[in-house]
Amino acid sequence: MAKDALTLKNEANSALKEGNISKAVELYSEAIKLDSQNAILYSNRSLAYLKLEDFGLAINDASKAIEIDPNFAKAYYRRAAAHISLFQPKDAVKDYKMAVNKAPNDVTARSKLRECEGLLKKIRFQEAIQVSDPPSALENVNIDDMDVSADYDGVELKAQMTEEFVFNMLERFQNGKKLPLKYAYSILRDIKEHYEKVPSLVDVRLKDDETLVVCGDTHGQFYDLLNIFKLHGYPSHTNKYLFNGDFVDRGSWSTEVAFTLYAFKLLYPDSIFLNRGNHETDDMNKVYGFEGECKAKYNERTFNIFSETFTALPLGTLIADTYLVLHGGLFSNDNVTLDQLRKIDRFSTKQPGQSGLMMEMLWTDPQTQPGRGVSKRGVGLQFGPDVSKKFCEANGLRAIIRSHEVRDQGYEVEHDGYCITVFSAPNYCDSTGNKGAVIKVKKDMELDFHQFEAVPHPNIRPMAYANGLLSGM
């Protein structure tokens, strides 16, 4: 017996509450086919898309709900949340104002409006005082003359990074301890200086006895990062790692993850490689928690120095002329070459913006249909299997390896093998139930996929340091 729209909606609502977001979207979509003028269905699916981080689709559904019912306050609220998720506070303020106008007694909407107006005011103030070429946050900081607090009970960080310091740091992080500011600044300074000499596309080759472990998003899930090392070994001269962006935000141990990766990079410069992700950017960090975490655990200067290290990170890694590893995906132009990627001036651009090769490398996603499509995220675009095949053949590649999206099994081989997604944050945000995965690559260039489950962590919720505007989504 065919189900009616109301039954499907109720089933979708249950799936949403249980965390089965993709199923909820499927059920809401079926209901919409039966009742295409029901604003509640579009608004509810908008919420599901928000949870999937498909912010462009969330905006479209909320807009459709408003078109059907211009007085539907919740739809304005949903659209505002999507705009905030994309760091579009001007648009969010407009929608929060409409939500309050349509539902003047809604205390939450009023609170969000005040918070969003405060954020917009702060942004405008920062824009007003910003100079064209601001000095480094490290300027006038004499790290060598800084003192280490007398209550610091860890290993001393000397001129060169040591194994003793790194493993003691990891132990201290597991016990909820922080780095002294002197050591935090020192690591960030040295990483910045290192990456300022590195090209935008890094070439990596493997010797007979070497393995490269390719990891996707880790998103501040420090205890899952330690589990990756437990399962596959710590970085060493023969056991190399490539982390493909999105080390920070959402998870509440983002500083620990970033300092761990940076410290290992300083210890073994030729054995750990880092690509920039779309969350190694100022706009995302201001919303999704990294800025707040830096201020809570260290100070504002720490965040500002981190930001400078993020702008210095390379945008992609080429493994033995065979696999291009980049965080998001491919391009709006079929004629992009690896040489063009090498020549990207990431130091002038700094932040990816809304267009250009850097933005596309960090933000785009694969789609099943041929050609290119409008981004479900609201930033970038989507590219089909024909795009992947053409790019790989033109550049002599076997495949691209990208991250940027949750996969239930931790990875997915897509586009007839020309596009591979790997995601290394299991049970993402403690809610999705996905596995994590890594890809092991050896000199023969065959790919070996390894899955793993999430491990327990201290009782601190994800997004604990995120902008309050994202709560209650």
Side-chain angles (χ1 to χ4, degrees):
M1 183 177 175
K3 296 176 181 178
D4 60 21
L6 179 60
T7 300
L8 289 165
K9 185 193 83 167
N10 291 336
E11 290 181 1
N13 290 347
S14 297
L16 196 60
K17 288 178 183 177
E18 293 165 3
N20 194 343
I21 314 302
S22 296
K23 183 64 175 178
V25 167
E26 180 184 321
L27 291 166
Y28 286 132
S29 299
E30 289 182 35
I32 286 169
K33 289 178 183 177
L34 298 175
D35 188 2
S36 62
Q37 293 303 301
N38 188 324
I40 293 174
L41 293 175
Y42 287 101
S43 178
N44 287 7
R45 193 171 68 174
S46 176
L47 175 60
Y49 281 137
L50 277 167
K51 292 181 180 294
L52 288 174
E53 302 182 25
D54 294 343
F55 303 123
L57 296 180
I59 289 171
N60 291 343
D61 268 5
S63 299
K64 181 63 177 178
I66 291 165
E67 178 188 322
I68 294 169
D69 182 0
N71 293 314
F72 191 13
K74 189 169 285 187
Y76 291 104
Y77 187 93
R78 297 270 187 259
R79 194 166 69 179
H83 282 306
I84 278 296
S85 300
L86 291 169
F87 203 69
Q88 298 168 344
K90 293 179 184 178
D91 294 317
V93 164
K94 292 177 185 176
D95 280 332
Y96 280 131
K97 283 181 177 178
M98 289 300 294
V100 169
N101 178 265
K102 303 301 180 183
N105 295 323
D106 189 327
V107 176
T108 303
R110 284 190 175 278
S111 173
K112 298 284 188 185
L113 174 59
R114 285 194 298 271
E115 200 169 345
C116 196
E117 287 177 330
L119 175 63
L120 189 57
K121 184 177 181 181
K122 179 181 177 182
I123 292 168
R124 285 172 173 162
F125 174 74
Q126 290 173 337
E127 289 174 347
I129 64 172
Q130 189 172 354
V131 295
S132 58
D133 190 17
S136 169
L138 284 164
E139 192 166 293
N140 300 320
V141 178
N142 192 332
I143 298 173
D144 294 335
D145 288 345
M146 292 177 68
D147 293 323
V148 174
S149 174
D151 61 0
Y152 175 67
D153 57 358
V155 171
E156 180 184 0
L157 177 59
K158 299 179 181 178
Q160 298 293 322
M161 185 63 65
T162 64
E163 264 192 23
E164 184 185 16
F165 177 86
V166 172
F167 286 101
N168 178 254
M169 179 187 73
L170 295 184
E171 182 181 345
R172 287 172 53 79
F173 283 167
Q174 291 177 78
N175 293 322
K177 297 180 179 181
K178 300 177 291 187
L179 288 173
L181 275 178
K182 177 186 178 79
Y183 295 166
Y185 289 174
S186 177
I187 291 170
L188 295 176
R189 175 198 61 197
D190 292 351
I191 277 291
K192 182 185 175 192
E193 289 177 356
H194 171 86
Y195 276 116
E196 284 175 341
K197 304 181 185 79
V198 170
S200 291
L201 180 62
V202 174
D203 286 279
V204 173
R205 296 188 179 277
L206 299 175
K207 297 177 182 176
D208 289 339
D209 61 341
E210 294 177 347
T211 299
L212 179 67
V213 183
V214 181
C215 303
D217 304 35
T218 47
H219 271 303
Q221 295 185 198
F222 175 67
Y223 295 87
D224 292 307
L225 172 64
L226 293 182
N227 189 44
I228 291 173
F229 292 146
K230 178 181 177 182
L231 294 171
H232 303 291
Y234 284 97
S236 70
H237 293 299
T238 57
N239 193 44
K240 303 188 175 190
Y241 277 85
L242 166 56
F243 288 87
N244 193 27
D246 281 14
F247 329 122
V248 302
D249 280 340
R250 294 197 176 273
S252 295
W253 292 272
S254 291
T255 55
E256 287 82 358
V257 168
F259 277 127
T260 297
L261 299 183
Y262 282 0
F264 271 119
K265 179 66 179 176
L266 295 173
L267 180 64
Y268 299 121
D270 297 323
S271 296
I272 183 166
F273 305 93
L274 308 176
N275 287 341
R276 189 179 188 181
N278 67 302
H279 277 268
E280 281 72 53
T281 57
D282 287 354
D283 286 356
M284 295 295 100
N285 295 160
K286 290 178 185 298
V287 175
Y288 288 95
F290 186 61
E291 182 182 46
E293 183 180 334
C294 285
K295 290 179 179 178
K297 294 180 180 178
Y298 296 94
N299 56 26
E300 186 172 7
R301 187 189 294 271
T302 302
F303 169 71
N304 291 333
I305 305 171
F306 259 120
S307 175
E308 293 178 21
T309 69
F310 291 164
T311 63
L313 290 174
L315 304 174
T317 301
L318 182 61
I319 305 174
D321 297 324
T322 304
Y323 298 106
L324 173 65
V325 185
L326 69 175
H327 181 72
L330 296 179
F331 310 98
S332 54
N333 186 326
D334 275 335
N335 299 318
V336 173
T337 66
L338 297 179
D339 280 342
Q340 283 179 272
L341 304 185
R342 290 188 177 93
K343 294 174 183 175
I344 293 174
D345 183 2
R346 66 191 192 278
F347 297 105
S348 295
T349 309
K350 294 187 178 179
Q351 303 302 323
Q354 298 293 308
S355 62
L357 291 180
M358 182 192 294
M359 181 278 290
E360 291 174 354
M361 292 179 79
L362 300 187
W363 275 98
T364 61
D365 296 295
Q367 64 180 21
T368 55
Q369 309 96 312
R372 294 176 174 85
V374 176
S375 172
K376 60 188 178 183
R377 296 176 185 268
V379 180
L381 55 95
Q382 296 183 181
F383 58 96
D386 54 327
V387 176
S388 294
K389 181 180 180 181
K390 186 171 183 179
F391 177 84
C392 289
E393 289 181 344
N395 288 282
L397 302 173
R398 192 177 299 179
I400 65 163
I401 298 174
R402 43 91 61 183
S403 303
H404 195 40
E405 289 181 288
V406 179
R407 290 292 187 262
D408 287 343
Q409 298 303 310
Y411 74 94
E412 185 175 359
V413 179
E414 306 171 68
H415 291 184
D416 301 316
Y418 287 105
C419 177
I420 299 163
T421 297
V422 60
F423 192 85
S424 304
N427 194 25
Y428 179 48
C429 289
D430 288 357
S431 63
T432 59
N434 63 289
K435 294 179 181 178
V438 301
I439 307 172
K440 287 190 174 182
V441 189
K442 295 190 175 182
K443 190 179 180 184
D444 63 7
M445 291 295 108
E446 294 304 312
L447 303 183
D448 188 10
F449 299 90
H450 294 261
Q451 298 167 296
F452 55 96
E453 303 284 354
V455 296
H457 61 69
N459 189 25
I460 301 175
R461 62 179 175 83
M463 306 280 282
Y465 302 97
N467 189 297
L469 287 162
L470 292 184
S471 64
M473 273 177 26

